[in-house]
Each structure stands twice: as structure tokens, then as C-alpha cells.
Amino acid sequence: MSALASTLEPTDGDVFERIAQAIGRHGYAVMDAVVPSALLDSLFVHLCNLPGEALTRAGIGREDDHQLNRFVRSDETRWLEPGEAVADEFLGWMEQLRLGINRRLFLGLFDYEAHYARYSPGAFYRRHRDAFAGGDSNRVLSTVLYLNPSWMPEDGGEMLLYADDELSIVERVQPLYGRLAVFLSEDFPHEVLPTRRTRYSIAGWFRVNGSLGGHIDPPR
Ligand code: OGA
Ligand code: MN
């Protein structure tokens, strides 16, 4: 069975069940129309109305080597801050997903952080992993929600999800409006191919509690 699935207007409980099931079986899920459409529209309007300078060149990890960054990725990002109505609604939905996944898969997901991302024409993000075994990011499960109305294949900007061995592509994800990708952060190298149109997404990460290992969780 493929993890690629789509449905019309499922109930939320069913949605969390299906996402958890796909992650349990395949390590990832790509699903359409799972985030409520009113929430999608609020996020899209919020993102489109942000002043251009609200989004800034994205960094890699915690060091700040801009030369390297420019080679690896050229998107611009802005964190979703709790306290903003739209952000709170989205973070609330992700909190339900967190609880639903923990209930079914016992991943011990502890919190969630997310940012808006804008890829201007020509922008890309080379193949990378969101977390490494033994690394200090505590990221366990990555999410990407796409907000691009009437996206066409010739617009580029696909996300390629690779197998752990980095040899085979397990999924090619068009950044279609309302599509949600969820995958185990350590297990799936992935990349964003150069986009030809401005491309919007919200990337987020469920994390485990870093302080459990006896050290304080570093700030992002
Ligand atoms: C990321 C990322 C993928 C995408 O921000 O780490 O891999 O499709 N984003 O936007
Ligand atoms: Mn990534």
C-alpha cells in the first residue's frame, strides 16, 4: 500500500488515525485535505499579507555560515509565534496530531515548532536530513504543509523524499494547496527542487524533550 492518499472531508479523529498508521507502516505520510480548509485559507491569507521583510534568509543548524547557507538553501522563513490567532489555530491542530500520534505510536513527541517558508523563483533546498542520530536538535517527526493554489507540475518546486540509503526516491511531492507531508526526521533525506513560481510552505518539527537526557534543550 502506498502512503500517498487523499480523501474528501474526513473527520479529524480519522485523519490522525490515518496519519499515524501511515507513519507506523512506512515512516511517512503524504495526504491531501486533512487540515481543515478554513484553517488553510487563514494561514494562506496571513502568509500572503506578511510584509516582505518579515521573512528572512533561512539558516542551517545553529551556526551562521552564510556562504554555506546560500549554497544549501535559498528560502526565507518566519517562525509561527504563539499568541497570533492564526498561528494558535494551526499549533492547536498540530497539538491534536501530536497527541494522536503519541497515543498510537508511542514516539514521546513533546513539543512542536514551525515556520512559514517562502521560496522565490529559483530558490531550492538541497538534499538534507532534519535530524541526525545522536544530534542535538531533538527533532523526531517533520511536517510540511503546502499553500500553493493551482500549482502546476511545470512550476517545479517538488520535494523529493529519499530512502535512508539516499539511493532511491520514495516519493515526489508536488507542493499542492492543503497537502501535508509528515516523515521521520532522521530517516528521510529530502530536497526541494528549484521552483519557478513563488512557493509557500509551513515546515514544522515535533521534538522530544531534550532535558530528559540531562542537558538543557538549546534554543532554536
Ligand atoms: C525544511 C524542508 C521542505 C519543503 O524546511 O527543512 O525540508 O518542501 N522543507 O518546504
Ligand atoms: Mn527539511
mmCIF file of all heavy atoms in Angstrom, residues 53-76:
data_model
loop_
_atom_site.group_PDB
_atom_site.id
_atom_site.type_symbol
_atom_site.label_atom_id
_atom_site.label_comp_id
_atom_site.label_asym_id
_atom_site.label_seq_id
_atom_site.Cartn_x
_atom_site.Cartn_y
_atom_site.Cartn_z
ATOM 1 N N GLU A 53 9.588 41.863 4.328
ATOM 2 C CA GLU A 53 10.786 41.745 5.155
ATOM 3 C C GLU A 53 10.551 40.894 6.403
ATOM 4 O O GLU A 53 11.483 40.624 7.169
ATOM 5 C CB GLU A 53 11.323 43.134 5.531
ATOM 6 C CG GLU A 53 10.432 43.954 6.448
ATOM 7 C CD GLU A 53 9.355 44.741 5.689
ATOM 8 O OE1 GLU A 53 9.119 44.452 4.494
ATOM 9 O OE2 GLU A 53 8.754 45.636 6.314
ATOM 10 N N ALA A 54 9.298 40.456 6.627
ATOM 11 C CA ALA A 54 9.016 39.599 7.792
ATOM 12 C C ALA A 54 9.677 38.232 7.627
ATOM 13 O O ALA A 54 9.989 37.565 8.608
ATOM 14 C CB ALA A 54 7.511 39.438 7.983
ATOM 15 N N LEU A 55 9.866 37.823 6.383
ATOM 16 C CA LEU A 55 10.543 36.549 6.136
ATOM 17 C C LEU A 55 12.007 36.832 5.836
ATOM 18 O O LEU A 55 12.325 37.724 5.039
ATOM 19 C CB LEU A 55 9.898 35.802 4.969
ATOM 20 C CG LEU A 55 8.485 35.294 5.255
ATOM 21 C CD1 LEU A 55 7.454 36.170 4.587
ATOM 22 C CD2 LEU A 55 8.327 33.847 4.839
ATOM 23 N N THR A 56 12.902 36.068 6.474
ATOM 24 C CA THR A 56 14.333 36.342 6.318
ATOM 25 C C THR A 56 15.065 35.089 5.880
ATOM 26 O O THR A 56 14.581 33.970 6.075
ATOM 27 C CB THR A 56 14.936 36.841 7.644
ATOM 28 O OG1 THR A 56 14.635 35.890 8.668
ATOM 29 C CG2 THR A 56 14.356 38.195 8.030
ATOM 30 N N ARG A 57 16.242 35.309 5.301
ATOM 31 C CA ARG A 57 17.032 34.192 4.793
ATOM 32 C C ARG A 57 17.222 33.123 5.849
ATOM 33 O O ARG A 57 17.651 33.409 6.965
ATOM 34 C CB ARG A 57 18.408 34.682 4.300
ATOM 35 C CG ARG A 57 18.324 35.474 3.016
ATOM 36 C CD ARG A 57 17.711 34.681 1.877
ATOM 37 N NE ARG A 57 18.554 33.568 1.501
ATOM 38 C CZ ARG A 57 19.402 33.606 0.472
ATOM 39 N NH1 ARG A 57 19.507 34.672 -0.271
ATOM 40 N NH2 ARG A 57 20.142 32.553 0.199
ATOM 41 N N ALA A 58 16.902 31.886 5.470
ATOM 42 C CA ALA A 58 16.941 30.791 6.431
ATOM 43 C C ALA A 58 18.376 30.376 6.716
ATOM 44 O O ALA A 58 19.238 30.457 5.851
ATOM 45 C CB ALA A 58 16.161 29.606 5.874
ATOM 46 N N GLY A 59 18.615 29.943 7.950
ATOM 47 C CA GLY A 59 19.935 29.453 8.344
ATOM 48 C C GLY A 59 19.945 27.941 8.364
ATOM 49 O O GLY A 59 18.932 27.285 8.194
ATOM 50 N N ILE A 60 21.121 27.395 8.561
ATOM 51 C CA ILE A 60 21.262 25.947 8.683
ATOM 52 C C ILE A 60 21.771 25.663 10.078
ATOM 53 O O ILE A 60 22.798 26.200 10.467
ATOM 54 C CB ILE A 60 22.310 25.388 7.704
ATOM 55 C CG1 ILE A 60 22.044 25.871 6.290
ATOM 56 C CG2 ILE A 60 22.375 23.882 7.799
ATOM 57 C CD1 ILE A 60 21.138 25.024 5.501
ATOM 58 N N GLY A 61 21.095 24.807 10.802
ATOM 59 C CA GLY A 61 21.549 24.472 12.144
ATOM 60 C C GLY A 61 21.684 25.724 12.980
ATOM 61 O O GLY A 61 20.959 26.688 12.805
ATOM 62 N N ARG A 62 22.615 25.746 13.873
ATOM 63 C CA ARG A 62 22.723 26.896 14.775
ATOM 64 C C ARG A 62 23.930 27.779 14.457
ATOM 65 O O ARG A 62 24.043 28.870 14.959
ATOM 66 C CB ARG A 62 22.772 26.424 16.232
ATOM 67 C CG ARG A 62 21.483 25.756 16.599
ATOM 68 C CD ARG A 62 21.363 25.421 18.047
ATOM 69 N NE ARG A 62 20.011 24.972 18.312
ATOM 70 C CZ ARG A 62 19.606 23.731 18.161
ATOM 71 N NH1 ARG A 62 20.445 22.801 17.784
ATOM 72 N NH2 ARG A 62 18.361 23.395 18.388
ATOM 73 N N GLU A 63 24.810 27.276 13.606
ATOM 74 C CA GLU A 63 25.926 28.134 13.204
ATOM 75 C C GLU A 63 25.430 29.055 12.092
ATOM 76 O O GLU A 63 24.367 28.850 11.515
ATOM 77 C CB GLU A 63 27.137 27.312 12.763
ATOM 78 C CG GLU A 63 27.010 26.590 11.441
ATOM 79 C CD GLU A 63 26.172 25.328 11.540
ATOM 80 O OE1 GLU A 63 25.714 24.995 12.658
ATOM 81 O OE2 GLU A 63 25.962 24.699 10.505
ATOM 82 N N ASP A 64 26.186 30.067 11.790
ATOM 83 C CA ASP A 64 25.698 31.090 10.879
ATOM 84 C C ASP A 64 26.682 31.325 9.742
ATOM 85 O O ASP A 64 27.212 32.406 9.582
ATOM 86 C CB ASP A 64 25.471 32.389 11.660
ATOM 87 C CG ASP A 64 24.114 32.977 11.309
ATOM 88 O OD1 ASP A 64 23.479 32.444 10.377
ATOM 89 O OD2 ASP A 64 23.714 33.951 11.960
ATOM 90 N N ASP A 65 26.915 30.289 8.969
ATOM 91 C CA ASP A 65 27.834 30.409 7.844
ATOM 92 C C ASP A 65 27.027 30.732 6.590
ATOM 93 O O ASP A 65 26.508 29.859 5.920
ATOM 94 C CB ASP A 65 28.610 29.097 7.679
ATOM 95 C CG ASP A 65 29.656 29.174 6.588
ATOM 96 O OD1 ASP A 65 29.555 30.075 5.720
ATOM 97 O OD2 ASP A 65 30.568 28.345 6.598
ATOM 98 N N HIS A 66 26.923 32.032 6.294
ATOM 99 C CA HIS A 66 26.003 32.429 5.230
ATOM 100 C C HIS A 66 26.451 31.965 3.849
ATOM 101 O O HIS A 66 25.630 31.712 2.990
ATOM 102 C CB HIS A 66 25.777 33.937 5.264
ATOM 103 C CG HIS A 66 24.884 34.336 6.387
ATOM 104 N ND1 HIS A 66 23.533 34.080 6.371
ATOM 105 C CD2 HIS A 66 25.138 34.917 7.582
ATOM 106 C CE1 HIS A 66 22.986 34.499 7.504
ATOM 107 N NE2 HIS A 66 23.946 35.008 8.254
ATOM 108 N N GLN A 67 27.746 31.846 3.646
ATOM 109 C CA GLN A 67 28.232 31.337 2.363
ATOM 110 C C GLN A 67 27.703 29.937 2.128
ATOM 111 O O GLN A 67 27.154 29.625 1.082
ATOM 112 C CB GLN A 67 29.775 31.283 2.381
ATOM 113 C CG GLN A 67 30.442 32.630 2.397
ATOM 114 C CD GLN A 67 30.227 33.364 1.088
ATOM 115 O OE1 GLN A 67 29.330 34.186 0.976
ATOM 116 N NE2 GLN A 67 31.035 33.044 0.096
ATOM 117 N N LEU A 68 27.865 29.100 3.151
ATOM 118 C CA LEU A 68 27.405 27.718 3.077
ATOM 119 C C LEU A 68 25.884 27.694 2.909
ATOM 120 O O LEU A 68 25.348 26.988 2.078
ATOM 121 C CB LEU A 68 27.820 26.969 4.343
ATOM 122 C CG LEU A 68 27.313 25.526 4.448
ATOM 123 C CD1 LEU A 68 27.926 24.663 3.351
ATOM 124 C CD2 LEU A 68 27.662 24.940 5.814
ATOM 125 N N ASN A 69 25.193 28.528 3.705
ATOM 126 C CA ASN A 69 23.737 28.534 3.656
ATOM 127 C C ASN A 69 23.214 28.804 2.255
ATOM 128 O O ASN A 69 22.273 28.178 1.805
ATOM 129 C CB ASN A 69 23.182 29.596 4.603
ATOM 130 C CG ASN A 69 23.443 29.221 6.054
ATOM 131 O OD1 ASN A 69 23.897 28.118 6.325
ATOM 132 N ND2 ASN A 69 23.145 30.124 6.950
ATOM 133 N N ARG A 70 23.828 29.753 1.590
ATOM 134 C CA ARG A 70 23.352 30.141 0.278
ATOM 135 C C ARG A 70 23.479 28.988 -0.715
ATOM 136 O O ARG A 70 22.694 28.863 -1.645
ATOM 137 C CB ARG A 70 24.152 31.352 -0.226
ATOM 138 C CG ARG A 70 23.316 32.342 -0.995
ATOM 139 C CD ARG A 70 24.098 33.610 -1.225
ATOM 140 N NE ARG A 70 24.382 34.312 0.009
ATOM 141 C CZ ARG A 70 23.528 35.159 0.593
ATOM 142 N NH1 ARG A 70 22.368 35.383 0.041
ATOM 143 N NH2 ARG A 70 23.836 35.767 1.708
ATOM 144 N N PHE A 71 24.486 28.153 -0.501
ATOM 145 C CA PHE A 71 24.675 27.008 -1.377
ATOM 146 C C PHE A 71 23.664 25.908 -1.077
ATOM 147 O O PHE A 71 23.213 25.207 -1.974
ATOM 148 C CB PHE A 71 26.110 26.471 -1.224
ATOM 149 C CG PHE A 71 26.377 25.274 -2.071
ATOM 150 C CD1 PHE A 71 26.513 25.406 -3.455
ATOM 151 C CD2 PHE A 71 26.474 24.017 -1.499
ATOM 152 C CE1 PHE A 71 26.743 24.292 -4.245
ATOM 153 C CE2 PHE A 71 26.710 22.906 -2.296
ATOM 154 C CZ PHE A 71 26.841 23.042 -3.674
ATOM 155 N N VAL A 72 23.293 25.784 0.193
ATOM 156 C CA VAL A 72 22.431 24.681 0.615
ATOM 157 C C VAL A 72 20.954 25.003 0.443
ATOM 158 O O VAL A 72 20.166 24.177 0.029
ATOM 159 C CB VAL A 72 22.723 24.299 2.081
ATOM 160 C CG1 VAL A 72 21.740 23.263 2.590
ATOM 161 C CG2 VAL A 72 24.151 23.796 2.213
ATOM 162 N N ARG A 73 20.589 26.227 0.804
ATOM 163 C CA ARG A 73 19.159 26.583 0.717
ATOM 164 C C ARG A 73 19.010 28.066 0.439
ATOM 165 O O ARG A 73 19.848 28.865 0.842
ATOM 166 C CB ARG A 73 18.429 26.204 2.010
ATOM 167 C CG ARG A 73 18.847 27.033 3.215
ATOM 168 C CD ARG A 73 18.269 26.500 4.502
ATOM 169 N NE ARG A 73 16.821 26.588 4.575
ATOM 170 C CZ ARG A 73 16.121 26.294 5.689
ATOM 171 N NH1 ARG A 73 16.741 25.890 6.783
ATOM 172 N NH2 ARG A 73 14.823 26.399 5.673
ATOM 173 N N SER A 74 17.925 28.444 -0.230
ATOM 174 C CA SER A 74 17.735 29.858 -0.547
ATOM 175 C C SER A 74 16.295 30.301 -0.272
ATOM 176 O O SER A 74 15.794 31.213 -0.908
ATOM 177 C CB SER A 74 18.122 30.126 -2.000
ATOM 178 O OG SER A 74 17.530 29.173 -2.862
ATOM 179 N N ASP A 75 15.652 29.617 0.686
ATOM 180 C CA ASP A 75 14.305 30.054 1.075
ATOM 181 C C ASP A 75 14.385 31.131 2.152
ATOM 182 O O ASP A 75 15.457 31.422 2.685
ATOM 183 C CB ASP A 75 13.466 28.861 1.557
ATOM 184 C CG ASP A 75 14.105 28.130 2.737
ATOM 185 O OD1 ASP A 75 15.356 28.103 2.826
ATOM 186 O OD2 ASP A 75 13.363 27.595 3.582
ATOM 187 N N GLU A 76 13.241 31.733 2.452
ATOM 188 C CA GLU A 76 13.139 32.734 3.521
ATOM 189 C C GLU A 76 12.052 32.268 4.486
ATOM 190 O O GLU A 76 11.032 31.724 4.047
ATOM 191 C CB GLU A 76 12.757 34.094 2.934
ATOM 192 C CG GLU A 76 13.819 34.628 1.992
ATOM 193 C CD GLU A 76 13.245 35.642 1.031
ATOM 194 O OE1 GLU A 76 12.301 35.295 0.292
ATOM 195 O OE2 GLU A 76 13.722 36.780 1.024
#
